[in-house]
């Protein structure tokens, strides 16, 4: 059988397609190759030196065994609830949408004996209250996977505390170890301490792997395995892409070309990066990508401490839905965007359109055609329309959506992020700017360590009547 692939297509950024004002010439591509090839070598060397631990996630036979054992242990449940945020949630949501059917949670038949999956990645009171009322009546058939590397993340911690109390009140103190699995740091942190105290089953967030690069670790693997996804194939796909993105030659390395084209356009004023999926199943990977790209590349300082304030703004779009919402802007608004289409050659399921009635002969072109033909024609039509407006686009094409191709896609985007970070000259693995807002929240919530900060925030949080109309 031919191996399913993820292909990277970049012709629609070339000068020969878009003209010189918006296209990239062969000379510019060669210059990008010369700049990027040493960075590929450096990234490969960094990996050998243990500086990019996420690169080793495809090769974790022991972890797979452990994840599968925990998945087996909780397979009695009817509801599997993930408590986490950011890198602890987005990969789980994306894997579920991509690899399980649209009606998975609602249709027992489509779930094939696996539990429903819920990912609670916010602390919205109305959302949580509705969810708790639903899950509270099903606690005895529910397992919670609390995921937090630090264990101190306010959103996850508040959910976890609430759930623990519900479990204790309804099922007794001893219920925690049956109903909760904690995924956290191996040794340190609040969640590790709590898990060890209560004797919870635990899985590890590997050392040196940041949240947004952790989907191929137990952070994403447990939820996927519990919901019937073939996690070995997922990692096999990532391993296959590892070979391609380690390739020293720029023109053979899809991550290098992707990162370089994104960086090039950023420097030419196209600072918005739109990921437009022409597959509902892949739409949540655009959300996952938003975090990966934004937290990794949006930085005030370069590696030498010089202020640079860089970072492309990632935007999510869905075809064909957003053709009726965004495409007007994308074609006629400012030419400040680079588009990445997600395309699928062969969909796992299809629907035949019914014949048009005699009174509507103008719909005859749809009769007996497949919905997949319509969606892919809309994608090609949009690509064509973008070229007519001189808008550059890349396409990442999946032969099919499967664990194997999804693993390739994840690894391609992660390696692209590392290389883009190197091109921008910044640290792609930290996120210092999220701290102040977190600390301000601790202060406003009365956490003792931040009393002085709470005083500082007061003048900004008091409403000034002068400005209310
Ligand atoms: O990419 C990251 O590191 C962050 O988005 C984290 O995943 C997020 O803040 C959650 O952190 P934690 O796992 O410590 O709860």
């Amino acid at each position: 059988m031919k191996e399913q692939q993820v292909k990277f297509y970049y012709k629609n950024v070339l000068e020969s397609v878009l003209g010189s004002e918006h296209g990239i010439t062969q000379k510019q591509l060669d210059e990008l190759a010369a700049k990027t090839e040493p960075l590929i070598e450096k990234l490969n060397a960094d990996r050998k030196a243990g500086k990019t631990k996420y690169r080793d996630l495809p090769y974790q036979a022991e972890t797979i065994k452990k994840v599968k054992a925990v998945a087996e242990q909780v397979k009695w449940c009817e509801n599997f609830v993930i408590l986490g945020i950011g890198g602890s949630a987005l990969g789980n949501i994306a894997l579920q949408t991509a690899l399980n059917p649209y009606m998975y949670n609602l249709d027992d038949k489509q779930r094939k004996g696996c539990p429903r999956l819920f990912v609670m990645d916010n602390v919205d009171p109305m959302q949580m209250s509705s969810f708790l009322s639903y899950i509270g009546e099903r606690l005895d058939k529910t397992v919670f996977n609390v995921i937090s590397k630090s264990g101190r993340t306010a959103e996850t911690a508040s959910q976890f505390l609430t759930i623990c109390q519900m479990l204790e009140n309804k099922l007794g103190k001893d219920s925690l170890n049956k109903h909760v699995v904690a995924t956290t740091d191996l040794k340190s942190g609040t969640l590790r301490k709590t898990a060890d105290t209560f004797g919870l089953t635990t899985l590890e967030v590997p050392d040196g792997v940041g949240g947004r690069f952790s989907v191929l670790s137990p952070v994403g693997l447990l939820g996927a395995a519990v919901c019937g996804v073939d996690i070995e194939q997922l990692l096999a796909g990532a391993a296959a892409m590892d070979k391609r993105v380690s390739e020293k030659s720029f023109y053979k390395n899809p991550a290098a070309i992707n990162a370089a084209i994104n960086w090039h356009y950023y420097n030419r004023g196209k600072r918005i990066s739109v990921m437009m999926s022409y597959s509902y199943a892949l739409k949540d990977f655009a959300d996952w990508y938003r975090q990966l790209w934004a937290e990794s590349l949006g930085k005030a300082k370069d590696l030498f401490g010089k202020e640079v304030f860089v970072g492309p703004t990632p935007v999510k779009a869905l075809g064909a839905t957003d053709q009726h919402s965004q495409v007007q802007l994308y074609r006629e608004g400012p030419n400040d965007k680079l588009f990445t289409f997600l395309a699928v050659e062969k969909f796992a399921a299809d629907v035949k359109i019914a014949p048009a009635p005699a009174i509507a002969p103008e719909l005859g072109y749809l009769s007996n055609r497949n919905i997949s033909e319509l969606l892919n024609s809309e994608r090609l039509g949009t690509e064509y329309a973008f070229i007519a407006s001189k808008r550059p686009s890349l396409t990442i094409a999946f032969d099919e959506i499967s664990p194997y191709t999804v693993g390739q896609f994840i690894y391609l985007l992660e390696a692209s992020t590392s290389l883009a970070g190197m091109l921008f000259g910044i640290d792609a693995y930290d996120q210092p700017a999220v701290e102040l807002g977190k600390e301000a929240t601790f202060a406003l919530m009365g956490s003792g360590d931040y009393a002085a900060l709470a005083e500082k925030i007061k003048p900004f949080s008091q409403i000034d009547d002068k400005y209310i109309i």
Side-chain angles (χ1 to χ4, degrees):
M1 197 179 79
K2 209 176 126 251
E3 211 176 69
Q4 291 173 10
Q5 282 237 348
V6 164
K7 296 177 199 115
F8 184 77
Y9 184 66
Y10 63 97
K11 186 178 173 196
N12 292 342
V13 299
L14 299 183
E15 184 205 26
S16 54
V17 175
L18 296 178
S20 57
E21 198 185 337
H22 296 286
I24 303 180
T25 63
Q26 188 54 51
K27 185 168 169 281
Q28 285 169 326
L29 267 182
D30 290 342
E31 283 164 8
L32 287 173
K35 174 149 181 89
T36 311
E37 278 180 353
L39 301 180
I40 303 172
E41 301 252 19
K42 176 156 184 353
L43 187 61
N44 289 343
D46 282 353
R47 187 240 187 102
K48 279 203 188 111
K51 292 185 189 162
T52 53
K53 290 270 177 63
Y54 79 87
R55 295 291 300 270
D56 301 328
L57 293 177
Y59 316 97
Q60 31 169 359
E62 278 312 304
T63 305
I64 290 194
K65 265 195 224 153
K66 220 172 152 191
V67 167
K68 281 185 153 182
V70 177
E72 187 65 25
Q73 178 191 319
V74 301
K75 79 169 185 211
W76 56 267
C77 74
E78 290 181 7
N79 309 294
F80 190 76
V81 181
I82 291 173
L83 310 177
I85 196 164
S88 298
L90 289 164
N92 276 297
I93 298 171
L95 286 176
Q96 175 69 5
T97 311
L99 296 170
N100 271 323
Y102 177 62
M103 296 301 278
Y104 176 90
N105 267 4
L106 294 180
D107 185 351
D108 296 350
K109 217 167 61 206
Q110 294 189 42
R111 226 171 31 250
K112 298 184 185 144
C114 294
R116 294 176 202 91
L117 180 83
F118 302 95
V119 183
M120 294 307 288
D121 70 339
N122 205 346
V123 283
D124 182 279
M126 287 163 67
Q127 180 196 27
M128 242 179 105
S129 152
S130 165
F131 180 70
L132 292 178
S133 145
Y134 173 85
I135 215 71
E137 288 170 12
R138 295 163 177 82
L139 273 189
D140 57 333
K141 297 192 167 73
T142 301
V143 169
F144 298 89
N145 179 202
V146 53
I147 309 177
S148 179
K149 196 175 166 84
S150 61
R152 276 203 73 190
T153 303
E155 297 85 351
T156 310
S158 59
Q159 292 173 341
F160 184 46
L161 292 173
T162 311
I163 290 298
C164 287
Q165 191 190 45
M166 271 180 94
L167 284 168
E168 280 184 33
N169 288 350
K170 295 203 175 178
L171 304 178
K173 220 176 169 55
D174 294 341
S175 63
L176 289 194
N177 55 16
K178 181 175 174 203
H179 290 269
V180 180
V181 175
T183 307
T184 190
D185 191 85
L186 174 61
K187 294 191 197 103
S188 60
T190 311
L191 185 54
R192 167 58 57 190
K193 209 167 51 188
T194 316
D196 290 348
T197 308
F198 289 101
L200 304 182
T201 301
T202 60
L203 287 166
E204 284 100 54
V205 183
D207 200 28
V209 175
R212 58 190 176 275
F213 290 87
S214 71
V215 55
L216 298 176
S217 80
V219 169
L221 294 180
L222 180 64
V226 166
C227 295
V229 170
D230 185 339
I231 57 172
E232 271 149 334
Q233 278 299 300
L234 190 68
L235 296 188
M241 184 56 75
D242 182 16
K243 289 201 184 71
R244 293 171 65 192
V245 302
S246 303
E247 175 61 60
K248 287 180 200 152
S249 159
F250 177 78
Y251 288 104
K252 290 186 185 158
N253 184 326
I257 300 187
N258 188 24
I261 289 174
N262 271 275
W263 177 73
H264 171 88
Y265 274 126
Y266 180 88
N267 293 325
R268 276 171 79 176
K270 298 191 200 306
R271 299 192 161 189
I272 299 173
S273 159
V274 181
M275 181 170 278
M276 187 162 186
S277 172
Y278 273 80
S279 154
Y280 184 89
L282 296 174
K283 81 172 175 56
D284 290 332
F285 266 111
D287 261 341
W288 170 83
Y289 160 77
R290 277 194 321 151
Q291 186 209 11
L292 186 66
W293 213 237
E295 273 193 350
S296 303
L297 303 180
K299 298 290 153 72
K301 292 191 178 153
D302 70 9
L303 291 170
F304 302 101
K306 189 174 141 244
E307 282 192 341
V308 285
F309 298 108
V310 292
T313 301
V315 169
K316 166 191 185 175
L318 175 66
T321 309
D322 284 332
Q323 286 180 210
H324 301 265
S325 158
Q326 301 292 297
V327 163
Q328 171 62 32
L329 168 78
Y330 291 169
R331 287 197 61 217
E332 288 192 354
N335 196 340
D336 56 358
K337 301 169 193 68
L338 170 62
F339 296 90
T340 301
F341 291 109
L342 302 185
V344 180
E345 310 261 330
K346 189 166 173 283
F347 288 86
D350 217 336
V351 172
K352 196 158 287 295
I353 306 170
I359 50 146
E362 63 277 22
L363 297 181
Y365 73 100
L366 293 171
S367 296
N368 297 314
R369 304 291 294 274
N370 288 328
I371 283 284
S372 63
E373 284 181 83
L374 177 59
L375 185 62
N376 274 341
S377 299
E378 300 219 30
R379 175 177 57 77
L380 289 170
T382 303
E383 280 182 26
Y384 172 77
F386 280 16
I387 291 168
S389 305
K390 313 271 181 240
R391 312 286 150 144
S393 71
L394 303 166
T395 300
I396 300 179
F398 290 63
D399 282 347
E400 285 180 34
I401 301 173
S402 66
Y404 189 69
T405 53
V406 165
Q408 292 178 50
F409 173 77
I410 290 169
Y411 207 84
L412 168 63
L413 269 291
E414 289 178 344
S416 299
T417 306
S418 290
L419 284 166
M422 293 166 107
L423 286 161
F424 280 109
I426 50 91
D427 182 347
Y429 308 104
D430 65 0
Q431 57 280 334
V434 301
E435 288 312 312
L436 185 58
K438 276 194 208 170
E439 287 169 11
T441 305
F442 293 148
L444 291 169
M445 291 294 284
S447 170
D449 306 348
Y450 297 98
L453 181 56
E455 282 309 307
K456 273 201 211 160
I457 298 170
K458 266 189 197 155
F460 298 99
S461 53
Q462 274 160 8
I463 291 191
D464 190 336
D465 289 345
K466 203 164 120 197
Y467 300 104
I468 299 184
I469 53 167

